[in-house]
Amino acid sequence: AFARSAGSLISAIPFWPSGEFPPGGPNAPRAVSGWSDSNVWMVGERGVLFYLREGRWLWDGRVVDDDLNAVEMVGPNEAWAVGGRNDGGHVTASAAAHMLNSNWAPVTTPTTRAGFQVNLLGMDFVDRNNGWAVGEYYDDVLQELRGAVLHYAAGTWRVETEDIPASLYSVRMASATEGWALGWRYGAGGPLAVYLQYKAGTWTPVAGPSSFAPLSVALGSGTAGWAVGLTGAMLELTGG
């Protein structure tokens, strides 16, 4: 499904890309980001790429073999996309791609200390040289999914924090020194949420409603914001 916003109205519209459709499927888009009304990119399953031109979506091939879960334009001619692969609860691949002047290229992402691949699920850039990505990896020893935070700086991605007891789905930065990352895992009685706050150069767990399954977070003024999750749940973030 696809929706377009015009002023305060959001309407569903058919998604029928023009030109040759990507062979081999699946091809479903998973994330979209734009720099202007006419400068928009979408990414999705098996590394598929689409761009908007004169009101039409055009296929631009595949940049990686794995799914791309998030995309962000960091300038009028530059963008990042991240993703990976989760096969039935086991993470088997990590993926990232960089676009400059409409040319996409795969980028190698780091593994955890134990060598596990990280399936990246969310991303946010402060500026073109400073970005964050969050996701999940499967710990073969613990036999469960764990969360990780990656940082992009000085032209390189590195694992900033790992061994978080839940998959991390979303990250948003209020500034270069403050931000939030949220995620969740299944517990005995249902979902168990994890909240991380970035301050003074460190990601720190903070208390919050436990029976919540956050999928996306957005920040307004400062570090206040909102999070939404499964079953239509909504949470207000007020920590400063």
Side-chain angles (χ1 to χ4, degrees):
F2 190 75
R4 177 173 55 196
S5 173
S8 59
L9 176 65
I10 298 178
S11 57
I13 61 174
F15 175 63
W16 294 107
S18 300
E20 182 184 0
F21 202 74
N27 302 300
R30 290 194 175 180
V32 60
S33 179
W35 190 258
S36 67
D37 290 347
S38 58
N39 188 1
V40 187
W41 285 89
M42 283 197 303
V43 301
E45 295 174 329
R46 291 190 57 205
V48 70
L49 303 167
F50 299 97
Y51 65 96
L52 187 66
R53 175 173 292 177
E54 298 178 353
R56 297 185 304 160
W57 287 104
L58 301 177
W59 173 49
D60 196 49
R62 301 186 193 276
V63 64
V64 294
D65 293 329
D66 303 299
D67 298 335
L68 292 173
N69 302 312
V71 62
E72 182 173 351
M73 296 197 69
V74 297
N77 301 301
E78 187 174 10
W80 279 94
V82 295
R85 184 175 299 175
N86 182 327
D87 292 325
H90 293 258
V91 173
T92 58
S94 181
H98 179 240
M99 183 275 285
L100 189 62
N101 297 323
S102 298
N103 296 311
W104 285 89
V107 175
T108 301
T109 54
T111 62
T112 66
R113 289 188 298 270
F116 301 128
Q117 298 281 348
V118 182
N119 178 32
L120 298 169
L121 302 170
M123 175 178 58
D124 192 34
F125 270 72
V126 179
D127 57 53
R128 65 182 301 270
N129 298 310
N130 185 1
W132 296 88
V134 297
E136 61 187 4
Y137 65 93
Y138 186 80
D139 189 311
D140 290 339
V141 177
L142 298 175
Q143 295 189 343
E144 65 181 19
L145 289 170
R146 310 290 283 181
V149 180
L150 274 62
H151 187 207
Y152 177 81
T156 303
W157 286 98
R158 64 183 178 87
V159 177
E160 181 82 7
T161 301
E162 60 181 84
D163 204 29
I164 306 301
S167 299
L168 295 175
Y169 288 90
S170 183
V171 59
R172 285 295 179 271
M173 304 302 294
S175 67
T177 58
E178 294 182 286
W180 286 92
L182 277 62
W184 66 280
R185 65 180 176 87
Y186 283 107
L192 295 174
V194 167
Y195 308 89
L196 300 178
Q197 190 172 21
Y198 185 71
K199 274 191 171 185
T202 303
W203 288 96
T204 304
V206 297
S210 60
S211 57
F212 182 59
L215 296 176
S216 180
V217 59
L219 301 180
S221 176
T223 55
W226 294 88
V228 294
L230 295 180
T231 68
M234 182 178 290
L235 183 72
E236 184 177 9
L237 303 174
T238 57

Short mmCIF file of all heavy atoms in Angstrom, two decimals, residues 87-129:
data_model
loop_
_atom_site.label_atom_id
_atom_site.label_comp_id
_atom_site.label_asym_id
_atom_site.label_seq_id
_atom_site.Cartn_x
_atom_site.Cartn_y
_atom_site.Cartn_z
N ASP A 87 15.95 -14.65 9.03
CA ASP A 87 15.30 -15.88 8.56
C ASP A 87 14.75 -16.65 9.75
O ASP A 87 15.47 -17.40 10.41
CB ASP A 87 16.29 -16.75 7.78
CG ASP A 87 16.71 -16.12 6.46
OD1 ASP A 87 15.86 -15.46 5.83
OD2 ASP A 87 17.88 -16.27 6.07
N GLY A 88 13.47 -16.43 10.03
CA GLY A 88 12.82 -17.17 11.11
C GLY A 88 13.43 -16.95 12.47
O GLY A 88 13.51 -17.87 13.28
N GLY A 89 13.88 -15.71 12.73
CA GLY A 89 14.46 -15.40 14.03
C GLY A 89 15.97 -15.49 14.07
O GLY A 89 16.58 -15.15 15.08
N HIS A 90 16.58 -15.94 12.98
CA HIS A 90 18.03 -16.03 12.90
C HIS A 90 18.53 -14.99 11.90
O HIS A 90 18.19 -15.05 10.71
CB HIS A 90 18.48 -17.43 12.48
CG HIS A 90 18.20 -18.48 13.50
ND1 HIS A 90 19.18 -18.98 14.33
CD2 HIS A 90 17.05 -19.11 13.84
CE1 HIS A 90 18.65 -19.89 15.14
NE2 HIS A 90 17.36 -19.99 14.86
N VAL A 91 19.33 -14.05 12.35
CA VAL A 91 19.88 -13.03 11.47
C VAL A 91 21.03 -13.64 10.66
O VAL A 91 21.99 -14.17 11.23
CB VAL A 91 20.38 -11.82 12.26
CG1 VAL A 91 21.10 -10.83 11.35
CG2 VAL A 91 19.20 -11.12 12.95
N THR A 92 20.91 -13.56 9.35
CA THR A 92 21.91 -14.18 8.48
C THR A 92 22.69 -13.17 7.65
O THR A 92 23.65 -13.55 6.98
CB THR A 92 21.25 -15.19 7.54
OG1 THR A 92 20.24 -14.50 6.75
CG2 THR A 92 20.58 -16.31 8.33
N ALA A 93 22.28 -11.89 7.68
CA ALA A 93 23.00 -10.92 6.86
C ALA A 93 22.74 -9.51 7.37
O ALA A 93 21.70 -9.23 7.97
CB ALA A 93 22.59 -11.03 5.39
N SER A 94 23.70 -8.63 7.11
CA SER A 94 23.58 -7.21 7.35
C SER A 94 23.78 -6.50 6.02
O SER A 94 24.49 -7.00 5.14
CB SER A 94 24.62 -6.74 8.36
OG SER A 94 24.50 -5.35 8.62
N ALA A 95 23.14 -5.34 5.85
CA ALA A 95 23.25 -4.64 4.57
C ALA A 95 23.24 -3.14 4.78
O ALA A 95 22.56 -2.62 5.67
CB ALA A 95 22.10 -5.04 3.64
N ALA A 96 23.99 -2.44 3.94
CA ALA A 96 23.97 -0.98 3.89
C ALA A 96 24.33 -0.56 2.47
O ALA A 96 25.05 -1.26 1.76
CB ALA A 96 24.94 -0.37 4.89
N ALA A 97 23.80 0.60 2.07
CA ALA A 97 24.09 1.12 0.74
C ALA A 97 24.13 2.64 0.80
O ALA A 97 23.40 3.26 1.59
CB ALA A 97 23.04 0.66 -0.27
N HIS A 98 24.97 3.22 -0.04
CA HIS A 98 25.15 4.67 -0.08
C HIS A 98 24.86 5.16 -1.49
O HIS A 98 25.28 4.54 -2.47
CB HIS A 98 26.58 5.03 0.34
CG HIS A 98 26.87 6.49 0.32
ND1 HIS A 98 27.86 7.04 -0.48
CD2 HIS A 98 26.31 7.52 1.00
CE1 HIS A 98 27.89 8.34 -0.28
NE2 HIS A 98 26.96 8.66 0.60
N MET A 99 24.12 6.28 -1.57
CA MET A 99 23.82 6.87 -2.87
C MET A 99 24.47 8.25 -2.96
O MET A 99 24.34 9.06 -2.05
CB MET A 99 22.31 7.00 -3.08
CG MET A 99 21.92 7.56 -4.46
SD MET A 99 21.90 9.36 -4.57
CE MET A 99 20.42 9.79 -3.68
N LEU A 100 25.17 8.50 -4.06
CA LEU A 100 25.74 9.81 -4.34
C LEU A 100 25.50 10.11 -5.81
O LEU A 100 25.88 9.32 -6.68
CB LEU A 100 27.24 9.82 -4.03
CG LEU A 100 27.94 11.19 -4.08
CD1 LEU A 100 27.35 12.14 -3.05
CD2 LEU A 100 29.43 11.04 -3.86
N ASN A 101 24.82 11.23 -6.06
CA ASN A 101 24.50 11.64 -7.44
C ASN A 101 23.77 10.54 -8.20
O ASN A 101 24.09 10.22 -9.36
CB ASN A 101 25.77 12.04 -8.18
CG ASN A 101 26.45 13.24 -7.56
OD1 ASN A 101 25.79 14.16 -7.10
ND2 ASN A 101 27.77 13.22 -7.53
N SER A 102 22.78 9.93 -7.53
CA SER A 102 21.89 8.91 -8.09
C SER A 102 22.57 7.57 -8.31
O SER A 102 21.95 6.65 -8.87
CB SER A 102 21.26 9.37 -9.41
OG SER A 102 20.46 10.52 -9.19
N ASN A 103 23.82 7.41 -7.89
CA ASN A 103 24.53 6.15 -8.03
C ASN A 103 24.61 5.45 -6.68
O ASN A 103 25.21 5.97 -5.73
CB ASN A 103 25.94 6.39 -8.58
CG ASN A 103 25.93 6.98 -9.97
OD1 ASN A 103 25.23 6.48 -10.86
ND2 ASN A 103 26.67 8.05 -10.17
N TRP A 104 24.02 4.26 -6.59
CA TRP A 104 24.00 3.49 -5.35
C TRP A 104 25.13 2.46 -5.36
O TRP A 104 25.44 1.87 -6.39
CB TRP A 104 22.66 2.76 -5.20
CG TRP A 104 21.53 3.64 -4.80
CD1 TRP A 104 20.69 4.33 -5.62
CD2 TRP A 104 21.10 3.92 -3.46
NE1 TRP A 104 19.76 5.02 -4.89
CE2 TRP A 104 19.98 4.79 -3.55
CE3 TRP A 104 21.54 3.52 -2.19
CZ2 TRP A 104 19.31 5.26 -2.43
CZ3 TRP A 104 20.87 3.98 -1.07
CH2 TRP A 104 19.77 4.85 -1.19
N ALA A 105 25.71 2.25 -4.17
CA ALA A 105 26.76 1.25 -4.03
C ALA A 105 26.64 0.59 -2.66
O ALA A 105 26.34 1.27 -1.67
CB ALA A 105 28.14 1.88 -4.18
N PRO A 106 26.86 -0.72 -2.57
CA PRO A 106 26.82 -1.40 -1.26
C PRO A 106 28.00 -0.97 -0.39
O PRO A 106 29.08 -0.64 -0.90
CB PRO A 106 26.91 -2.88 -1.62
CG PRO A 106 27.54 -2.91 -2.98
CD PRO A 106 27.14 -1.65 -3.67
N VAL A 107 27.75 -0.97 0.93
CA VAL A 107 28.77 -0.59 1.91
C VAL A 107 28.85 -1.70 2.95
O VAL A 107 27.82 -2.17 3.44
CB VAL A 107 28.43 0.75 2.58
CG1 VAL A 107 29.44 1.07 3.68
CG2 VAL A 107 28.39 1.87 1.54
N THR A 108 30.05 -2.10 3.30
CA THR A 108 30.25 -3.14 4.30
C THR A 108 29.92 -2.61 5.69
O THR A 108 30.32 -1.49 6.05
CB THR A 108 31.70 -3.65 4.28
OG1 THR A 108 31.98 -4.17 2.99
CG2 THR A 108 31.91 -4.74 5.32
N THR A 109 29.18 -3.39 6.47
CA THR A 109 28.86 -3.02 7.85
C THR A 109 29.60 -3.94 8.81
O THR A 109 29.88 -5.10 8.49
CB THR A 109 27.35 -3.12 8.11
OG1 THR A 109 26.90 -4.44 7.76
CG2 THR A 109 26.59 -2.09 7.29
N PRO A 110 29.91 -3.45 10.01
CA PRO A 110 30.67 -4.26 10.96
C PRO A 110 29.80 -5.31 11.65
O PRO A 110 28.58 -5.17 11.73
CB PRO A 110 31.18 -3.23 11.97
CG PRO A 110 30.13 -2.15 11.94
CD PRO A 110 29.65 -2.09 10.52
N THR A 111 30.46 -6.33 12.16
CA THR A 111 29.78 -7.33 12.99
C THR A 111 29.97 -6.99 14.46
O THR A 111 30.73 -6.08 14.81
CB THR A 111 30.36 -8.74 12.72
OG1 THR A 111 31.76 -8.74 13.08
CG2 THR A 111 30.22 -9.12 11.26
N THR A 112 29.29 -7.73 15.32
CA THR A 112 29.49 -7.56 16.76
C THR A 112 30.86 -8.14 17.15
O THR A 112 31.57 -8.71 16.33
CB THR A 112 28.39 -8.29 17.56
OG1 THR A 112 28.53 -9.71 17.33
CG2 THR A 112 27.01 -7.85 17.10
N ARG A 113 31.20 -7.97 18.43
CA ARG A 113 32.50 -8.48 18.90
C ARG A 113 32.65 -9.98 18.65
O ARG A 113 33.74 -10.46 18.37
CB ARG A 113 32.67 -8.18 20.39
CG ARG A 113 32.89 -6.71 20.72
CD ARG A 113 33.24 -6.54 22.18
NE ARG A 113 32.18 -6.99 23.06
CZ ARG A 113 31.19 -6.21 23.51
NH1 ARG A 113 31.14 -4.94 23.12
NH2 ARG A 113 30.26 -6.68 24.31
N ALA A 114 31.53 -10.71 18.76
CA ALA A 114 31.57 -12.16 18.55
C ALA A 114 31.41 -12.55 17.09
O ALA A 114 31.36 -13.73 16.76
CB ALA A 114 30.49 -12.84 19.39
N GLY A 115 31.32 -11.55 16.20
CA GLY A 115 31.24 -11.84 14.77
C GLY A 115 29.85 -12.04 14.23
O GLY A 115 29.69 -12.56 13.12
N PHE A 116 28.80 -11.61 14.97
CA PHE A 116 27.43 -11.79 14.51
C PHE A 116 27.03 -10.65 13.56
O PHE A 116 27.34 -9.48 13.82
CB PHE A 116 26.46 -11.84 15.69
CG PHE A 116 26.74 -12.95 16.66
CD1 PHE A 116 26.86 -12.70 18.02
CD2 PHE A 116 26.89 -14.26 16.22
CE1 PHE A 116 27.12 -13.72 18.92
CE2 PHE A 116 27.15 -15.29 17.11
CZ PHE A 116 27.27 -15.02 18.46
N GLN A 117 26.31 -10.99 12.49
CA GLN A 117 25.76 -10.00 11.58
C GLN A 117 24.60 -9.27 12.24
O GLN A 117 23.82 -9.86 13.00
CB GLN A 117 25.28 -10.68 10.29
CG GLN A 117 26.36 -11.39 9.50
CD GLN A 117 27.19 -10.43 8.68
OE1 GLN A 117 26.85 -9.27 8.51
NE2 GLN A 117 28.30 -10.92 8.16
N VAL A 118 24.44 -7.98 11.92
CA VAL A 118 23.37 -7.16 12.50
C VAL A 118 22.37 -6.79 11.41
O VAL A 118 22.72 -6.15 10.41
CB VAL A 118 23.93 -5.87 13.13
CG1 VAL A 118 22.79 -5.07 13.78
CG2 VAL A 118 25.00 -6.21 14.17
N ASN A 119 21.14 -7.23 11.58
CA ASN A 119 20.03 -6.84 10.70
C ASN A 119 19.57 -5.45 11.14
O ASN A 119 18.99 -5.29 12.21
CB ASN A 119 18.89 -7.85 10.81
CG ASN A 119 17.70 -7.47 9.95
OD1 ASN A 119 17.84 -6.87 8.89
ND2 ASN A 119 16.50 -7.81 10.43
N LEU A 120 19.81 -4.44 10.30
CA LEU A 120 19.54 -3.05 10.67
C LEU A 120 18.09 -2.70 10.32
O LEU A 120 17.64 -2.88 9.19
CB LEU A 120 20.52 -2.13 9.96
CG LEU A 120 21.99 -2.38 10.37
CD1 LEU A 120 22.93 -1.65 9.45
CD2 LEU A 120 22.22 -2.00 11.82
N LEU A 121 17.37 -2.15 11.31
CA LEU A 121 15.94 -1.92 11.18
C LEU A 121 15.55 -0.44 11.18
O LEU A 121 14.48 -0.09 10.70
CB LEU A 121 15.19 -2.63 12.32
CG LEU A 121 15.41 -4.13 12.41
CD1 LEU A 121 14.82 -4.68 13.70
CD2 LEU A 121 14.80 -4.83 11.20
N GLY A 122 16.39 0.42 11.73
CA GLY A 122 16.10 1.85 11.80
C GLY A 122 17.36 2.67 11.67
O GLY A 122 18.46 2.18 11.92
N MET A 123 17.19 3.95 11.28
CA MET A 123 18.36 4.79 11.02
C MET A 123 17.97 6.25 11.17
O MET A 123 16.84 6.64 10.88
CB MET A 123 18.88 4.51 9.61
CG MET A 123 20.02 5.38 9.15
SD MET A 123 20.59 4.92 7.48
CE MET A 123 19.07 5.10 6.52
N ASP A 124 18.92 7.08 11.61
CA ASP A 124 18.71 8.53 11.66
C ASP A 124 20.07 9.22 11.57
O ASP A 124 21.01 8.84 12.26
CB ASP A 124 17.99 8.95 12.94
CG ASP A 124 17.51 10.39 12.88
OD1 ASP A 124 17.14 10.84 11.78
OD2 ASP A 124 17.50 11.07 13.93
N PHE A 125 20.16 10.22 10.69
CA PHE A 125 21.38 10.98 10.52
C PHE A 125 21.20 12.38 11.11
O PHE A 125 20.18 13.04 10.86
CB PHE A 125 21.76 11.09 9.05
CG PHE A 125 22.65 9.98 8.57
CD1 PHE A 125 22.13 8.69 8.40
CD2 PHE A 125 23.98 10.20 8.31
CE1 PHE A 125 22.94 7.66 7.96
CE2 PHE A 125 24.81 9.17 7.88
CZ PHE A 125 24.29 7.90 7.70
N VAL A 126 22.19 12.84 11.87
CA VAL A 126 22.21 14.22 12.36
C VAL A 126 22.60 15.14 11.21
O VAL A 126 22.01 16.21 11.02
CB VAL A 126 23.19 14.35 13.53
CG1 VAL A 126 23.24 15.80 14.03
CG2 VAL A 126 22.82 13.41 14.67
N ASP A 127 23.61 14.75 10.47
CA ASP A 127 24.02 15.41 9.24
C ASP A 127 24.69 14.35 8.38
O ASP A 127 24.77 13.18 8.76
CB ASP A 127 24.93 16.61 9.51
CG ASP A 127 26.17 16.24 10.31
OD1 ASP A 127 26.89 15.30 9.89
OD2 ASP A 127 26.44 16.87 11.34
N ARG A 128 25.19 14.73 7.23
CA ARG A 128 25.70 13.73 6.28
C ARG A 128 26.92 12.98 6.80
O ARG A 128 27.27 11.91 6.28
CB ARG A 128 26.03 14.39 4.94
CG ARG A 128 27.16 15.40 4.99
CD ARG A 128 27.38 16.04 3.61
NE ARG A 128 27.70 15.05 2.60
CZ ARG A 128 28.95 14.67 2.32
NH1 ARG A 128 29.97 15.17 2.98
NH2 ARG A 128 29.15 13.77 1.36
N ASN A 129 27.57 13.50 7.84
CA ASN A 129 28.77 12.86 8.38
C ASN A 129 28.56 12.21 9.74
O ASN A 129 29.52 11.71 10.34
CB ASN A 129 29.90 13.90 8.50
CG ASN A 129 30.29 14.48 7.16
OD1 ASN A 129 30.55 13.75 6.21
ND2 ASN A 129 30.32 15.80 7.08
#
